[in-house]
Amino acid sequence: MAMEVTQVLLNAQSIDGAVRKNAEDSLKQFQEQNLPVFLVSLSGELANEEKPVETRKLAGLVLKNALDAKEQHRKFELVQRWLSLDGNAKSQIKACLLTTLTSPVSDARSTASQVIAKVAGIELPHKQWPELIGSLLSNVHQLPAQAKQATLETLGYLCEEVSPDVIDQDQVNKILTAVVQGMSSSEGNTDVRLAATRALYNALGFAQANFSNDMERDYIMRVVCEATLSPEVRIRQAAFECLVSISSTYYEKLAPYIQDIFNITAKAVREDEEPVALQAIEFWSSICDEEIDILEEYGGDFTGDSDIPCFYFIKQALPALVPMLLETLLKQEEDQDQDEGAWNIAMAGGTCLGLVARTVGDDIVPLVVPFIEENISKPDWRQREAATYAFGSILEGPSPEKLIPLVNVALTFMLSALTKDPNSHVKDTTAWTLGRIFEFLHGSVVDSPIISQANCQQIITVLLQSMKDTPNVAEKACGALYFLAQGYEEMGPSSPLTPFFQEIVQSLLTVSHREDAGESRLRTAAYETLNEVVRCSTDETAPLVLQLVPVIMMELHNTLEGQKLSSDEREKQSELQGLLCGCLQVIIQKLGASEPTKYVFMQYADQIMGLFLRVFACRSATVHEEAMLAIGALAYATGADFAKYMPEFYRYLEMGLQNFEEYQVCAVTVGVVGDISRALEEKIVPYCDGIMTQLLKNLSSNQLHRSVKPPIFSCFGDIALAVGEYFEKYLMWAMSALQSAAELSTHIAGDDELVEYTNSLRNGILEAYSGIFQGFKNSPKTQLLIPYAPHILQFLDGIYMEKDMDDVVMKTAIGVLGDLADTLGSHAGSMIQQSVSSKDFLNECLSSEDLMIKESAEWAKLAISRAISV
């Protein structure tokens, strides 16, 4: 049954492009013509000891890709395809895979492990291949060591692929026993011990019952802690990774072990190699994350009924933990600021210190201040940088009362360091710390301001000066200016930044033109800061914002001048267009917000729209999104006049709605359809057929990411509100789509992410109903809506009964109840009176603490009482 594939697989790895392409085509053809034979041939190749290692490895890889894919819908197709495959072929493939686990060739074993796990991920949930785990476990007790190692690796991958409820507890116990035995120090073979330790990492999610049993938990913890002392660095690292995972999965079970773990991690952080030390620090960062979540959720007051008490591990460890973390700050690397993906002990320690500050608040300050004072002026740059980093790390968490006296002392010193320190690292960290000061301790949240008329001038002068420094320092200076501007947003009609506005904007534009602005995200940071400065500006500077319009338009125009670009240049061009469109969006929103500036701005509208259309014509995905958002802002600002752009713009709108691959682009476009509906009102009618057809098509597609569906429903509401009774044409289709989505959304139990999605879906559906009812109000055709009312009331009952709606849904839902009564009058009155929960729901909303919900409820109450009294 199998076929000879060796040569084709060799050719598929050839350096000659033509040979490679030819081989890939043959593989594709073979797969399409006879899938079972194709897959059996691949598994035979992988299992055959006489074949070259590179063809065995590729055979396994092609086999794995025939079982799994990144895109959800493709994955689903592949799973169905495997399940319906001929039984004989499947048995042959699985037999080949299992024999490969004992191969002397490690690449072949490792590839087989991954493929077995993929097959298991498909079959075990369907109660197929029940003998797999048993046969793997019988391998574990056999020599040679390499078979043991491959089997443990397979068990690890298997735990990663299937969810815990698929494997029964008896088998889980056996898997854990095998894995933990493989980890113990009595295991002489390093590879076996490493595979076992990595397998435990994946199996921890299955160990709920075992961690609830004191003896079993003690045993697992002892073995993990022993493994952190192994002579092999990779085993130590994997063991610490297990501890990190345990810290979040089994936080509430850690108390008996925490002192020992502290000693182990402290030793590793001080003495071990970097990969191990990083995981040891990560353990404490993970504990911080757990405690921050618990304290936020329960607001810090634990009355006896809370089921996840906080053990305050961090608070207890503070006197020893903080000195350990401060030591790490001195282990910087020479070039860490230039390298975007850099991560080392100093950065990990600073990150952890920041989490500790958020966990314990004020208590950390006295432990860190002596370190800062001692090191901030030392001749060695490492000490100055570490002191600055320590200060910047503790600015979020402690109270302003505790921090502001320190900041008042430090500010002048830091401004001077930013211009005068000879070391670039110190400047980089100083600029970052200033940004954190402005982010957390400046603005309307703080009672005593740290910035006065007196030092404002100095701060701005220093930041603008630093924007001429190396790209990494300049980027951090832009960030500091961003938060400085943001803090003045709520400050009323005049801002201390007003006198410097022109100079700031000019400096930021100059930065964006630097030759090296592509490094350290500098150009992006300059535009983000410019946008924030514009967004937070006051009426006084409106004329200056107006002067900025032709400048940015010219910049955008320059990116469009036709030159032949390489793909790398095209990507850079499209990124720049994205930044400029984003900037215009902020300017349009700012100037459109008040009548006098809007009136002056309108002279540019035609030209700007022309530029956006040309940006679409160079058509690349990233630009689409920013240009699309900017057009939404323009539509909002121009109102009904936007109609003149529609004939030319419409095709791009349709293209955006059809872009399933880049679903964010699709979602943004759906939002813009909403903006345009609000702007054009009935003038959007000529385009409704095309838009509604595409939106309905999107809803019924299983290829579109689910996150785009809620905004599509809201968009129905926007369109219905805009066109009124004209929506009759689409009513039947829209209502049927809404009904089936409504039914889906009332029976969803699941994790937090699913609950969040369900709420956004419900909110979208409710916004659609609300728009449709308001759109038909006072029209002779309102009776068309009567047949849909019982279903809508049933939906409202359903979500009320489920008790898991958030405040946003609650407000929209009570509004829909009011819209129903308001539009249908007496027709709705009796239905509402008979509905199961309307009365309870209304009363609950009327007594809500949330003012928005309360207001909606008062209005609904009025509408209902009118409907009933008719």
Side-chain angles (χ1 to χ4, degrees):
M1 178 169 170
M3 265 184 61
E4 189 57 36
V5 286
T6 312
Q7 195 53 52
V8 187
L9 290 166
L10 278 173
N11 292 350
Q13 304 177 64
S14 159
I15 34 179
D16 179 339
V19 176
R20 204 168 56 238
K21 169 109 177 62
N22 205 339
E24 286 165 3
D25 292 345
S26 327
L27 287 173
K28 200 171 167 196
Q29 196 179 355
F30 183 8
Q31 179 169 2
E32 284 160 6
Q33 281 165 358
N34 194 337
L35 183 70
V37 175
F38 177 65
L39 297 178
V40 169
S41 308
L42 291 171
S43 63
E45 183 81 16
L46 175 60
N48 189 335
E49 293 302 337
E50 287 160 16
K51 298 295 183 187
V53 60
E54 51 278 9
T55 64
R56 295 177 69 181
K57 214 171 139 182
L58 183 59
L61 191 65
V62 176
L63 192 52
K64 187 175 127 201
N65 291 339
L67 299 168
D68 193 20
K70 279 199 174 63
E71 295 86 18
Q72 277 312 108
H73 64 98
R74 179 76 187 128
K75 189 181 175 124
F76 180 73
E77 285 165 15
L78 293 175
V79 167
Q80 295 310 319
R81 188 176 83 170
W82 173 264
L83 289 169
S84 56
L85 200 66
D86 165 65
N88 272 341
K90 279 195 284 204
S91 305
Q92 267 181 282
I93 293 167
K94 293 193 285 201
C96 284
L97 289 169
L98 288 171
T99 41
T100 312
L101 289 182
T102 56
S103 165
V105 179
S106 70
D107 275 343
R109 294 197 302 273
S110 181
T111 308
S113 293
Q114 295 174 43
V115 183
I116 291 171
K118 291 293 179 198
V119 175
I122 297 175
E123 295 203 353
L124 294 181
H126 290 89
K127 302 276 178 271
Q128 298 174 12
W129 211 2
E131 70 282 9
L132 168 67
I133 291 175
S135 64
L136 287 173
L137 290 168
S138 66
N139 267 2
V140 172
H141 304 299
Q142 294 181 358
L143 299 162
Q146 64 214 36
K148 215 170 173 178
Q149 175 263 333
T151 306
L152 287 163
E153 191 177 338
T154 309
L155 288 167
Y157 287 137
L158 185 124
C159 292
E160 202 175 7
E161 286 295 328
V162 300
S163 66
D165 49 6
V166 169
I167 301 179
D168 62 56
Q169 189 56 44
D170 179 46
Q171 285 197 312
V172 169
N173 293 342
K174 287 179 178 157
I175 291 175
L176 283 168
T177 304
V179 167
V180 174
Q181 273 171 2
M183 277 177 74
S184 75
S185 44
S186 58
E187 171 55 62
N189 183 298
T190 303
D191 291 337
V192 171
R193 201 173 172 198
L194 178 61
T197 311
R198 287 179 176 162
L200 180 67
Y201 179 83
N202 287 327
L204 284 167
F206 292 71
Q208 298 288 352
N210 313 82
F211 263 79
S212 303
N213 172 320
D214 292 355
M215 275 177 60
E216 295 186 27
R217 183 178 65 244
D218 284 346
Y219 179 50
I220 294 173
M221 292 300 291
R222 197 185 75 232
V223 172
V224 173
C225 290
E226 276 173 12
T228 64
L229 307 171
S230 156
E232 166 59 48
V233 63
R234 290 173 307 163
I235 293 176
R236 297 200 298 277
Q237 181 182 349
F240 274 113
E241 283 169 5
C242 289
L243 280 179
V244 172
S245 175
I246 290 167
S247 68
S248 59
T249 317
Y250 301 110
Y251 168 83
E252 69 287 355
K253 304 270 188 240
L254 281 176
Y257 317 105
I258 203 80
Q259 185 58 55
D260 289 339
I261 294 176
F262 181 80
N263 298 338
I264 297 170
T265 49
K267 191 169 163 40
V269 170
R270 292 195 168 110
E271 296 168 18
D272 212 329
E273 294 180 41
E274 183 171 87
V276 183
L278 286 173
Q279 289 304 318
I281 296 172
E282 186 57 37
F283 173 84
W284 292 101
S285 293
S286 172
I287 296 281
C288 288
D289 287 332
E290 289 304 307
E291 298 196 343
I292 290 168
D293 284 350
I294 295 168
L295 296 170
E296 270 177 7
E297 193 170 334
Y298 294 98
D301 48 338
F302 292 108
T303 44
D305 58 345
S306 107
D307 46 345
I308 312 188
C310 179
F311 287 99
Y312 297 103
F313 291 138
I314 298 294
K315 201 170 185 158
Q316 287 159 22
L318 266 189
L321 181 61
V322 172
M324 170 182 95
L325 292 172
L326 291 170
E327 269 176 51
T328 64
L329 302 185
L330 294 158
K331 300 184 179 172
Q332 310 94 324
E333 284 173 7
E334 288 289 347
D335 54 355
Q336 63 183 40
D337 300 326
Q338 275 72 28
D339 172 12
E340 283 200 23
W343 187 245
N344 56 41
I345 292 191
M347 296 166 90
T351 304
C352 187
L353 193 64
L355 289 166
V356 171
R358 286 176 53 200
T359 312
V360 301
D362 288 359
D363 292 351
I364 197 171
V365 178
L367 293 170
V368 176
V369 168
F371 177 84
I372 301 172
E373 288 171 341
E374 189 186 330
N375 291 291
I376 197 82
S377 307
K378 282 277 166 53
D380 179 357
W381 73 265
R382 287 178 185 280
Q383 290 173 288
R384 298 197 303 280
E385 194 275 340
T388 313
Y389 191 15
F391 186 39
S393 298
I394 62 165
L395 292 168
E396 183 186 7
S399 62
E401 295 71 46
K402 191 89 176 163
L403 292 171
I404 284 178
L406 295 174
V407 170
N408 284 333
V409 175
L411 199 56
T412 323
F413 182 89
M414 301 195 87
L415 289 169
S416 142
L418 186 52
T419 44
K420 301 203 178 88
D421 199 289
N423 182 279
S424 175
H425 287 282
V426 178
K427 288 198 234 181
D428 182 297
T429 306
T430 303
W432 173 77
T433 301
L434 284 169
R436 304 249 309 166
I437 290 175
F438 301 148
E439 181 177 3
F440 300 113
L441 297 170
H442 155 59
S444 51
V445 281
V446 186
D447 299 334
S448 47
I450 48 173
I451 301 174
S452 56
Q453 279 311 134
N455 64 6
C456 187
Q457 162 97 54
Q458 188 200 357
I459 290 171
I460 289 167
T461 308
V462 167
L463 291 178
L464 298 187
Q465 182 60 39
S466 296
M467 283 186 207
K468 298 174 184 155
D469 211 313
T470 54
N472 54 303
V473 175
E475 188 264 337
K476 306 271 191 326
C478 288
L481 187 55
Y482 176 100
F483 289 114
L484 182 67
Q486 198 177 67
Y488 285 124
E489 189 184 357
E490 313 281 302
M491 294 285 189
S494 107
S495 153
L497 296 186
T498 299
F500 310 105
F501 187 84
Q502 187 84 36
E503 195 185 344
I504 291 173
V505 169
Q506 199 43 61
S507 297
L508 288 164
L509 289 171
T510 308
V511 170
S512 74
H513 290 143
R514 277 175 57 159
E515 286 292 313
D516 54 6
E519 295 167 37
S520 299
R521 277 187 70 259
L522 179 55
R523 184 177 287 111
T524 307
Y527 278 110
E528 282 171 355
T529 304
L530 177 59
N531 295 351
E532 199 60 12
V533 168
V534 168
R535 202 179 62 75
C536 302
S537 62
T538 59
D539 291 345
E540 299 175 290
T541 46
L544 299 173
V545 176
L546 264 168
Q547 286 172 24
L548 194 55
V549 179
V551 177
I552 303 291
M553 281 170 62
M554 196 62 211
E555 302 253 332
L556 186 54
H557 175 80
N558 292 341
T559 67
L560 294 163
E561 286 315 285
Q563 63 278 53
K564 279 273 169 268
L565 296 178
S566 68
S567 65
D568 193 30
E569 289 171 324
R570 177 162 301 122
E571 199 172 311
K572 287 203 177 100
Q573 172 202 41
S574 117
E575 198 180 318
L576 179 55
Q577 289 172 345
L579 293 171
L580 292 163
C581 289
C583 184
L584 283 169
Q585 181 194 345
V586 174
I587 293 175
I588 293 167
Q589 284 164 334
K590 189 73 193 172
L591 297 173
S594 77
E595 282 309 314
T597 51
K598 187 157 109 179
Y599 179 74
V600 187
F601 165 74
M602 278 313 148
Q603 61 180 342
Y604 295 113
D606 290 0
Q607 285 167 282
I608 288 186
M609 188 64 190
L611 284 171
F612 291 153
L613 291 171
R614 285 182 61 194
V615 168
F616 279 130
C618 342
R619 254 247 316 287
S620 93
T622 49
V623 162
H624 250 92
E625 205 172 327
E626 280 82 6
M628 196 52 94
L629 284 163
I631 286 177
L634 189 65
Y636 183 79
T638 48
D641 288 345
F642 190 82
K644 64 181 173 186
Y645 306 127
M646 282 302 286
E648 217 181 325
F649 172 54
Y650 177 70
R651 66 193 176 111
Y652 297 115
L653 195 65
E654 204 163 51
M655 266 165 40
L657 294 177
Q658 288 162 356
N659 194 343
F660 288 5
E661 296 308 300
E662 290 141 346
Y663 64 88
Q664 291 92 336
V665 176
C666 188
V668 161
T669 311
V670 170
V672 170
V673 172
D675 294 334
I676 292 174
S677 308
R678 284 187 286 276
L680 294 185
E681 294 183 319
E682 67 288 345
K683 285 188 181 172
I684 199 173
V685 166
Y687 305 97
C688 278
D689 282 5
I691 292 173
M692 284 301 294
T693 307
Q694 192 54 50
L695 291 177
L696 288 161
K697 204 185 271 179
N698 287 13
L699 284 174
S700 62
S701 153
N702 63 351
Q703 292 181 19
L704 183 61
H705 195 276
R706 68 177 189 182
S707 63
V708 188
K709 300 196 172 177
I712 290 179
F713 288 125
S714 312
C715 190
F716 283 176
D718 293 328
I719 293 171
L721 201 54
V723 302
E725 60 180 55
Y726 181 80
F727 196 78
E728 177 193 351
K729 217 175 152 173
Y730 317 111
L731 192 61
M732 193 173 94
W733 309 103
M735 285 300 204
S736 131
L738 284 161
Q739 271 182 18
S740 47
E743 278 155 23
L744 264 180
S745 85
T746 41
H747 307 292
I748 297 187
D751 53 8
D752 293 352
E753 202 180 309
L754 199 61
V755 170
E756 200 178 307
Y757 173 70
T758 306
N759 272 316
S760 81
L761 184 62
R762 290 172 183 170
N763 195 53
I765 294 166
L766 292 163
E767 286 185 337
Y769 284 143
S770 174
I772 291 170
F773 275 85
Q774 290 176 33
F776 275 85
K777 193 185 169 185
N778 300 333
S779 126
K781 297 190 173 170
T782 40
Q783 79 279 358
L784 292 172
L785 299 176
I786 296 170
Y788 300 107
H791 180 275
I792 293 174
L793 286 165
Q794 200 183 333
F795 175 50
L796 290 170
D797 282 340
I799 51 181
Y800 177 69
M801 298 300 190
E802 292 217 355
K803 294 281 180 237
D804 59 357
M805 56 175 145
D806 57 23
D807 288 355
V808 179
V809 174
M810 202 166 193
K811 178 187 169 300
T812 324
I814 198 66
V816 167
L817 193 63
D819 290 327
L820 204 70
D822 190 38
T823 300
L824 297 181
S826 57
H827 297 294
S830 54
M831 287 191 237
I832 291 174
Q833 276 175 305
Q834 287 157 18
S835 93
V836 191
S837 62
S838 294
K839 194 168 179 190
D840 297 343
F841 184 33
L842 185 63
N843 288 334
E844 194 174 308
C845 292
L846 284 167
S847 57
S848 166
E849 313 257 300
D850 186 313
L851 284 177
M852 309 276 283
I853 294 178
K854 208 173 162 147
E855 260 174 43
S856 287
E858 311 244 325
W859 175 81
K861 183 181 173 183
L862 197 69
I864 294 169
S865 59
R866 278 204 301 264
I868 292 171
S869 65
V870 173

